[in-house]
Amino acid sequence: MKVALAMLRPGRAMGLCWAGWLMVAPAVAAAQAPGTGLPTAVAQAPEGRVIDQVVAVIEGQVLTRSELEFETRVALVQQGALQAAIEPLDEEALKGGLELAINLRLQVLSADRLEAFATEQAEVEARVAKFRQLFEREEAFQGFLTRSGADLGLLTEVLGRRVRAERILDSRIRPRAQVSEAEVLRYYQQHSSEYPEGYAAVKAQLQNKLKRERYDALTAEDLAELRASAQVRRVAPFAREARR
């Protein structure tokens, strides 16, 4: 079975995409430890064996594999891939999830240093409620948390981090992503053969297209700059392979 991992879309950014969220199609077919919902490599093991592992250290903060798996599953479920709530993830999914986890944490750590962009609790609660509603039954939602070794508090923390990171990024990018009417008209004139319906009919569509492209480009630049100055150490073998 394939799970399409879509790009992260900030809720406050006109539906424009985040750059840095890897586009992958992970195969969800790894072995599963009975009754746990976790890959055997990180499921409960006899005494003396490792049951979790450090995946990366981000500005001194440790990210474990179990944390990464949970956050990756949450992101996938938000994109509509509900099977990710119950089926194992392969390393391609975890590589994509790792890049997202790093970006989110670096955004939040940067804001913490400035004591800026506090998150409204109501906004986080609304995001949690929306996530909960993605499951057909409450039992399925609770089962997801149990299999992931998580609880409502951890889910709230994960979604709260994402809400805050979206707000931080959008505050920096949105003002610079505006597109003038002259730019829209110039683009139309250069591609008029593609829009036989005429300028008036496609003006709004083209404006949104150009905004989205500019937003994505500026986001990529912003995240690249943030990553360049950050102390990030990938530890797990698959995590080191993700390094570019």
Side-chain angles (χ1 to χ4, degrees), residues 18-21 99 102-104 106-107 169 172-173 217-229:
W18 269 45
W21 178 232
E99 296 308 303
I102 291 172
N103 286 341
L104 294 177
L106 290 180
Q107 291 283 347
L169 184 64
R172 290 203 291 257
I173 302 302
L218 291 171
T219 296
E221 293 175 7
D222 187 89
L223 291 176
E225 182 178 347
L226 187 63
R227 295 283 287 265
S229 61

Side-chain angles (χ1 to χ4, degrees), residues 123-142:
E123 187 175 0
V124 178
E125 291 175 356
R127 189 68 65 92
V128 172
K130 183 176 181 180
F131 182 86
R132 199 171 198 153
Q133 291 168 2
L134 293 173
F135 295 81
E136 291 185 359
R137 302 183 308 278
E138 177 66 15
E139 292 81 359
F141 170 69
Q142 294 296 338

Side-chain angles (χ1 to χ4, degrees), residues 60-79:
Q61 292 188 359
V62 170
L63 175 66
T64 66
R65 177 159 180 149
S66 60
E67 291 172 326
L68 175 60
E69 287 197 356
F70 179 62
E71 294 179 29
T72 302
R73 291 179 190 280
V74 169
L76 284 166
V77 169
Q78 285 184 301
Q79 296 294 334

